[in-house]
Each structure stands twice: as C-alpha cells, then as structure tokens.
Amino acid sequence: MKKAQASMDLLIVLGVMLVVFAILFQTIVADRITERIEKEVLLDAKSQAEKVAMAVNEVYLGGASTNKTFYLPEQLVNSKDYNLTIYDSGTVICENMGKRESVSILTSKLTTTILNDSWNTIKNEEGVIIFG
C-alpha cells in the first residue's frame, strides 16, 4: 500500500469518526438543554405558587381589612401555559406539562379559587380571604 493511499484511508476513517462523534454530541447536548428548560419552567411554576401563597398568608395574618395586589403572568418562562388552583385543603397547586408544584397556605377559608393571569387583589374580611 502506498503512503498516499494510507493517508487517504486514515482521513476517511477520521472523518467518519468525527461525524459519529458530532451526532452523539449533538444528541447529548439537545437532551441537556431540554432538561434545563423543563427545570426552569418547573422553578417558575413553583415561584408563581409561592407568590400566591405568600400573598394569601400575608393577608390572612394581617387581619380584617388587609388587602394585597399581586401580578401573575399569562405564561411561565419559555411561553409555557400553566394553571394555578387553590384547594380547600390549604394548598396552592401550579400545574404545567403534567407536573405539579404545590405550596401550603395558612387558611382554607377562601371565597374563590380562580386567579386571573394579570393583577389580582385579595382581601381579608373577618378572617375569610376574598379574591376580587
């Protein structure tokens, strides 16, 4: 075998190995990016649930006539839709992509569990939390 032929064979083998390595690397990186985005969304979901829980707790602990206004975005990070629900058990749940993040609140005395994707006002009237 001639030296030129051996060099060409080596270059071809190295080229094929480089292509295989690039495909594997791209697959691994894409999976990691997807995982990171999912974690960001779940952290944002938890943050929104905590924001609601904190507002409810502040108003509840503040006593009668206390009120608070807070903002909920229309979507989570990366334009992901979500659903925030307050249950009678005293839990705020934020659902997104089939996953749930929950936060406890101090009271279950609520007049509504519907939250708007914008500015929300809550008030304490005789120990009952009213959303409006």
Side-chain angles (χ1 to χ4, degrees):
M1 185 184 279
K2 297 180 182 178
K3 285 185 180 183
Q5 181 66 35
S7 296
M8 284 301 292
D9 289 346
L10 179 62
L11 286 176
I12 290 171
V13 168
L14 287 176
V16 169
M17 287 175 54
L18 185 62
V19 168
V20 169
F21 177 74
I23 291 171
L24 289 173
F25 183 75
Q26 189 273 338
T27 303
I28 291 169
V29 168
D31 289 346
R32 296 286 166 106
I33 290 172
T34 301
E35 286 176 18
R36 185 185 61 78
I37 289 171
E38 287 178 5
K39 285 180 183 178
E40 275 183 14
V41 171
L42 287 174
L43 282 173
D44 194 26
K46 179 88 169 181
S47 173
Q48 298 309 321
E50 287 174 346
K51 184 188 304 182
V52 172
M54 196 159 74
V56 169
N57 290 340
E58 283 179 23
V59 169
Y60 179 70
L61 292 173
S65 302
T66 305
N67 62 35
K68 181 169 181 80
T69 301
F70 60 96
Y71 179 79
L72 292 175
E74 187 175 327
Q75 295 178 319
L76 298 175
V77 294
N78 296 314
S79 301
K80 301 293 182 182
D81 292 329
Y82 69 105
N83 183 29
L84 252 172
T85 308
I86 302 175
Y87 290 95
D88 291 337
S89 62
T91 306
V92 179
I93 304 253
C94 187
E95 295 179 84
N96 172 266
M97 299 184 307
K99 296 182 181 172
R100 296 176 151 203
E101 291 293 331
S102 64
V103 179
S104 296
I105 55 176
L106 299 175
T107 183
S108 60
K109 297 177 184 176
L110 306 161
T111 59
T112 185
T113 57
I114 299 171
L115 300 171
N116 299 318
D117 296 335
S118 61
W119 290 100
N120 292 269
T121 300
I122 56 175
K123 53 189 161 185
N124 183 336
E125 289 189 6
E126 308 299 323
V128 177
I129 307 301
I130 298 172
F131 290 78

